[in-house]
Amino acid sequence: GEAPFLKQHAPGPFKVCTPAAMQHAISRYKPGVTDKVYPTIHDMLQDVATIMRDEVQALIDEGASYVQLDAPSYSTFFDPKRRASLDASGVNSAEALDAAIAADNAMIQSITRRPEVAIGIHFCRGNKRSAWGAEGSYEPIAEKAFASLTMDRYLMEFDTERPGGFEPLRFVPKGTTVVLGLITTKEPRLESEDELLRRIEQAGKYVAMENLAVSTQCGFASAASGNLLSWDDMRRKLELVTKVARRAWG
């Protein structure tokens, strides 16, 4: 019901988020159990993608001009501990990454959309109640993910030192938008505008400025309980996003 509500009340274009196809299955495929029904994780994810494609199409049909696929489970492939845990479970992490990318592509394949409709994917690192999740650079997935996923936008978390530098962005296809999640939603402290502008400039070494954007690293609530910020804190964070965007891009 979110899309019809927003279409009625939003003053402009709006975005709706939905889980990525791979989000439902990577941690739920159990060798010795799931393979009695689905021979491989690829088979399972393709079924999920078929279901989720209908969701994306419905959101677009209801007026959403921006659909964001939320994909925290990609951290399984770049966080060394999570990748080791997946391999130890009997699932080959390299094969699972291929299956995840194929499923998320299948989720938006053959979608009918208006020219202005954008589809993006958010590589989340965990956010519930201001908690941290994944560690590590995007480097282990960057070349394969950016070369293979068919998204219009990539939303990346860079609000702390945890993700490392912007070097993995060198694999982003020319003309594709990267949204730099530089402003944290986990704590009320406001980042320095000048420091944020400096970091945007650093990212500009790998992606052209006209293809960069800035945002909070994630939303303010991954669950009903929300993050450890007040309403005023959240407003100030969004005001900071706007100020920095205007200074960076005019």
Side-chain angles (χ1 to χ4, degrees):
E2 289 91 346
F5 179 87
L6 286 167
K7 187 175 182 179
Q8 181 180 351
H9 297 286
F14 59 87
K15 174 175 77 173
V16 180
C17 299
T18 188
M22 59 86 70
Q23 188 59 25
H24 290 284
I26 289 294
S27 61
R28 295 179 175 88
Y29 190 90
K30 306 296 182 187
V33 179
T34 319
D35 49 15
K36 294 175 182 177
V37 180
Y38 293 105
T40 70
I41 196 168
H42 175 84
D43 298 311
M44 179 178 178
L45 281 169
Q46 287 295 311
D47 256 13
V48 173
T50 299
I51 296 167
M52 296 304 294
R53 187 190 305 129
D54 291 342
E55 171 76 5
V56 175
Q57 186 67 67
L59 290 170
I60 292 170
D61 291 346
E62 289 174 346
S65 56
Y66 185 174
V67 176
Q68 176 182 306
L69 312 186
D70 197 32
S73 286
Y74 275 97
S75 64
T76 305
F77 308 115
F78 62 70
D79 183 311
K81 291 181 181 177
R82 294 186 178 192
R83 188 168 63 246
S85 177
L86 184 68
D87 285 326
S89 76
V91 175
N92 180 284
S93 58
E95 292 177 3
L97 175 59
D98 289 341
I101 291 170
D104 287 334
N105 282 337
M107 185 172 165
I108 61 172
Q109 190 176 29
S110 305
I111 291 289
T112 301
R113 53 173 161 156
R114 304 174 300 282
E116 73 275 13
V117 173
I119 296 177
I121 190 165
H122 176 216
F123 295 136
C124 183
R125 291 170 173 262
N127 196 49
K128 186 176 180 181
R129 293 298 286 162
S130 296
W132 296 104
E135 299 268 7
S137 166
Y138 295 103
E139 188 71 24
I141 69 167
E143 185 171 13
K144 181 171 282 187
F146 290 136
S148 304
L149 283 166
T150 54
M151 305 292 163
D152 304 314
R153 301 175 186 177
Y154 294 98
L155 297 98
M156 318 281 290
E157 299 195 0
F158 286 108
D159 57 320
T160 70
E161 73 286 348
R162 288 167 177 261
F166 298 117
E167 292 81 4
L169 299 182
R170 70 190 183 278
F171 294 113
V172 174
K174 189 175 181 180
T176 301
T177 298
V178 173
V179 183
L180 302 170
L182 299 175
I183 297 168
T184 191
T185 64
K186 299 180 189 296
E187 59 183 29
R189 175 190 58 84
L190 286 177
E191 292 84 352
S192 155
E193 287 184 41
D194 289 341
E195 174 64 14
L196 292 169
L197 289 166
R198 186 183 68 80
R199 298 195 69 203
I200 292 169
E201 186 178 345
Q202 288 177 334
K205 297 175 183 176
Y206 304 100
V207 177
M209 277 294 289
E210 63 265 27
N211 297 126
L212 288 175
V214 66
S215 75
T216 55
Q217 112 282 344
C218 197
F220 291 108
S222 295
S225 52
N227 278 3
L228 306 181
L229 286 81
S230 70
W231 284 101
D232 283 341
D233 293 332
M234 290 186 272
R235 188 189 71 250
R236 283 189 284 268
K237 289 283 181 175
L238 295 176
E239 287 172 347
L240 180 59
V241 172
T242 304
K243 287 178 185 176
V244 170
R246 285 177 176 156
R247 286 184 62 183
W249 291 280

